[in-house]
Amino acid sequence: GDGLDRTLAGARGENAYILPVLMADGFTMRILSARIAEHAAGAVLCRPVGTLPGLADLLAEQALRTAAERGWSPAETAVLVAAHGTARNPGSARIAEAHAERIRRSGRFAAVEAGFLDQAPTIEDVRRALAGNCVVTGLFVECGAHGARDVPMRLAQAFAPRSRPAS
């Protein structure tokens, strides 16, 4: 809106760097890029925070701390990287999968997989597939509704009794 345009107009010039606090390079980035071209010529649009490779290290450290707090050996603990995902932008899933792959390559955990709120594989399907101890680390800008409500609800559904049709 107008507030973003005013902010961008103030970011004109060679020394203006805009760091989007987003998890993926998708729809919002395309809009932001167009707005920057229109209102902040010369500003540099950086990669979204969620796409930076070092984020995988932070997620792994969080998983290690959580496993240690529970007395679990990382070698016997799986990690589920929970992310939003969307069918509208395949890049969203690729980012989460890339972070999961970086953590997996470290060899510190029994298994590492990505699961999604709005696309397959879902958080609950991935959790059901991971045996034993599992640390869930969220790939979200903030805890918000997804971290506080949606992800825990999906994890509970992963192990809820399934109803069967009456015979």
Side-chain angles (χ1 to χ4, degrees):
D2 293 338
L4 175 60
D5 294 342
R6 278 193 303 274
T7 300
L8 291 174
R12 290 181 186 269
E14 296 175 13
N15 295 320
Y17 291 86
I18 299 169
L19 178 63
V21 183
L22 300 169
M23 290 294 106
D25 188 1
F27 177 76
T28 303
M29 278 295 291
R30 286 192 299 274
I31 290 172
L32 186 56
S33 181
R35 299 284 282 282
I36 287 170
E38 181 180 346
H39 298 285
V44 175
L45 178 60
C46 301
R47 292 172 48 190
V49 170
T51 67
L52 300 175
L55 186 55
D57 295 333
L58 295 175
L59 295 171
E61 289 302 318
Q62 179 185 30
L64 286 169
R65 270 194 317 276
T66 302
E69 288 168 4
R70 288 169 173 70
W72 299 343
S73 161
E76 297 174 353
T77 302
V79 176
L80 192 166
V81 177
H84 194 280
T86 175
R88 292 177 291 146
N89 177 22
S92 175
R94 282 194 297 270
I95 296 300
E97 290 163 352
H99 289 311
E101 177 60 26
R102 284 184 193 97
I103 298 168
R104 188 180 307 116
R105 280 195 315 251
S106 76
R108 295 186 278 186
F109 298 98
V112 182
E113 299 295 335
F116 305 96
L117 289 170
D118 286 354
Q119 72 179 78
T122 64
I123 290 168
E124 51 271 42
D125 287 344
V126 171
R127 179 57 190 106
R128 276 192 289 270
L130 295 170
N133 298 334
C134 182
V135 171
V136 179
T137 184
L139 186 61
F140 302 106
V141 170
E142 62 172 339
C143 184
H146 292 317
R149 183 191 64 225
D150 300 338
V151 171
M153 180 180 71
R154 297 290 189 87
L155 292 170
Q157 290 172 352
F159 296 105
R162 296 185 183 169
S163 58
R164 296 184 190 155
S167 43

